[in-house]
Amino acid sequence: MAAIQIIGTDFAAAAALEGLLARRRVRLSGPDGGPVSVLACSARHEAQAGGTVGVTQLARAAGARGVVVVEEGAAALAVSSELGGRLLRVTLPRPTGALPHRDAALLALADLLASQVSAMVAADAATGALIDLAARVARTDVTVFINGPTGSGKEVLARKVHEASRRAAGPFIAINCAAIPENMLEAMLFGHEKGAFTGASGANKGIIRAAEGGTLLLDEVSEMPMGLQSKLLRVLQERRVTPLGSQTEVPVDVRIVATSNRHMPEEVRARRFREDLWYRLNVFPLTTKPLCERPDDIPALAVALLRRHCPAELALPLLAPEALETLLAHDWPGNVRELENVIQRALVLHEGGRIVPDDIVIDAVPQLPMRPLHLAAV
């Protein structure tokens, strides 16, 4: 597993940065701690090491494919790249005095580093514990069922299980069982032979076989029609699939992860979901919590979403402490998806490279300043 090495020499924020990365369960490496993916150091250490040439030599010796050089005490946060993106320079503003997981600039730097090793965004202890559990589950090939409210990160967690497993080099294929018409879902899942139905001009191996050697995510599996549930049950039991129009079973080697936002025991009692399939899928259950129950994740997610949606030509704005307090005060019934909408609105409304409370619009129409309307003479 790739790691990040932070050289703490003349780097005041190093300890706080390591703490934020530890919350995301990023593996940190010392000078002799195994393979390194990214090397981070201060601009002062870079100068002592001989400049760009010296720091790239240090990275090469550690086996790192990327370098991040941080200049502390800057007026604003800025990121620039050199050497074809292999070296990133970050100017880090002075600490605000807030705790590290409430400091927007420090969170942005942590997200920049963690995103290079595909780490899941997290800062809350509950989310960290869930990541730890997912990593333990990933060591085996057991079927996983992830339950949780809409927009709480079920697919992200499923990808985490895949990336931590022995199947990480294989495909990760997700299918939303609620988004595909019933008459198409069977052919898409199990595949079909040429001429199996009207319009089948060629054979198709289907999504299950396309995930061979990897992981298949059945998103919102509770929406699957009852008729298909029995066929899926047979695939899980026999590890074989029969394409439409074929009499031959084909062996498959896939790991199944299923998700739902419903209360599955109630779905079973109401006979909307097969009890035998439920027990076959629910080998190892994982549960994602609503965003309001993991408040420490809110600033980290907000900063990560800012980085994701900020246009490349625009400098990354910083969340003012007061704006963070506004985000923390909301109960987020729409979870991460609602937070993502709010962050995108803030990117539209903000000015001067800073997001303030007036830019945080939650379930309301933005109140823009009125300007006088000048009508041309007719």
Side-chain angles (χ1 to χ4, degrees):
M1 181 180 177
I4 294 175
Q5 181 180 342
I6 299 175
I7 300 176
T9 307
D10 294 319
F11 195 173
L17 186 59
E18 288 177 354
L20 289 178
L21 292 173
R23 285 171 177 257
R24 296 178 68 150
R25 300 311 192 256
V26 173
R27 192 169 69 85
L28 299 172
S29 175
D32 302 312
V36 173
S37 179
V38 181
L39 180 73
C41 69
S42 68
R44 289 183 180 181
H45 184 77
E46 178 195 27
Q48 295 172 4
T52 301
V53 173
V55 79
T56 52
Q57 287 176 345
L58 286 175
R60 193 177 296 114
R65 65 172 184 267
V67 181
V68 176
V69 177
V70 182
E71 180 183 345
E72 298 181 275
L77 179 71
V79 181
S80 60
S81 64
E82 299 177 10
L83 305 178
R86 293 190 301 275
L87 188 150
L88 297 178
R89 294 192 179 277
V90 181
T91 59
L92 187 68
R94 295 175 180 85
T96 61
L99 294 171
H101 60 283
R102 295 287 193 272
D103 188 311
L106 198 56
L107 282 168
L109 176 57
D111 187 64
L112 176 68
L113 288 168
S115 63
Q116 298 188 53
V117 293
S118 301
M120 184 173 167
V121 179
D124 198 274
T127 307
L130 184 61
I131 295 173
D132 291 339
L133 186 57
R136 294 176 66 183
V137 174
R139 300 172 192 166
T140 67
D141 266 351
V142 298
T143 301
V144 178
F145 194 94
I146 304 175
N147 192 250
T150 298
S152 59
K154 296 188 293 295
E155 182 171 345
V156 175
L157 185 61
R159 288 185 180 274
K160 186 69 180 176
V161 171
H162 171 72
E163 291 169 359
S165 73
R166 66 176 182 84
R167 298 176 178 269
F172 177 90
I173 296 181
I175 181 170
N176 189 329
C177 299
I180 300 173
E182 182 177 349
N183 60 346
M184 295 177 59
L185 186 57
E186 182 175 5
M188 290 188 67
L189 274 176
F190 305 114
H192 60 80
E193 298 296 330
K194 181 179 179 180
F197 52 86
T198 302
S201 56
N204 187 303
K205 65 181 181 180
I207 290 175
I208 293 178
R209 281 192 287 167
E212 178 72 22
T215 302
L216 173 64
L217 171 63
L218 299 172
D219 196 19
E220 302 303 342
V221 72
S222 52
E223 304 293 334
M224 181 176 286
M226 290 291 287
L228 281 184
Q229 291 180 27
S230 60
K231 295 183 179 181
L232 176 61
L233 176 64
R234 178 170 175 79
V235 172
L236 295 178
Q237 288 175 334
E238 306 297 332
R239 296 293 168 175
R240 292 176 176 273
V241 61
T242 304
L244 291 178
S246 174
Q247 302 299 318
T248 305
E249 290 186 328
V250 181
V252 290
D253 174 28
V254 296
R255 190 217 190 110
I256 302 293
V257 179
T259 74
S260 178
N261 60 6
R262 296 190 180 186
H263 185 254
M264 293 305 295
E266 178 58 35
E267 294 298 300
V268 171
R269 283 193 293 270
R271 298 186 181 278
R272 290 188 292 264
F273 201 84
R274 291 181 62 108
E275 185 176 18
D276 47 5
L277 178 57
W278 162 236
Y279 287 121
R280 181 65 66 172
L281 290 173
N282 195 41
V283 178
F284 201 100
L286 296 174
T287 303
T288 56
K289 289 187 174 184
L291 189 55
C292 62
E293 294 182 14
R294 41 191 176 103
D296 283 347
D297 281 348
I298 294 173
L301 284 164
V303 168
L305 291 168
L306 274 176
R307 288 193 61 245
R308 178 189 300 176
H309 292 292
C310 186
E313 67 277 6
L314 186 69
L316 182 68
L318 275 182
L319 280 158
E322 299 81 8
L324 277 177
E325 291 302 321
T326 301
L327 294 177
L328 288 163
H330 186 54
D331 58 0
W332 302 107
N335 296 299
V336 181
R337 288 177 187 165
E338 182 186 5
L339 176 61
E340 187 169 18
N341 290 343
V342 170
I343 291 300
Q344 290 187 75
R345 293 173 197 154
L347 277 169
V348 173
L349 296 175
H350 89 282
E351 292 181 349
R354 187 176 171 86
I355 294 175
V356 298
D358 287 345
D359 301 323
I360 304 297
V361 179
I362 301 174
D363 294 331
V365 178
Q367 299 299 312
L368 302 180
M370 298 297 293
R371 294 182 174 86
L373 181 64
H374 299 286
L375 299 176
V378 178

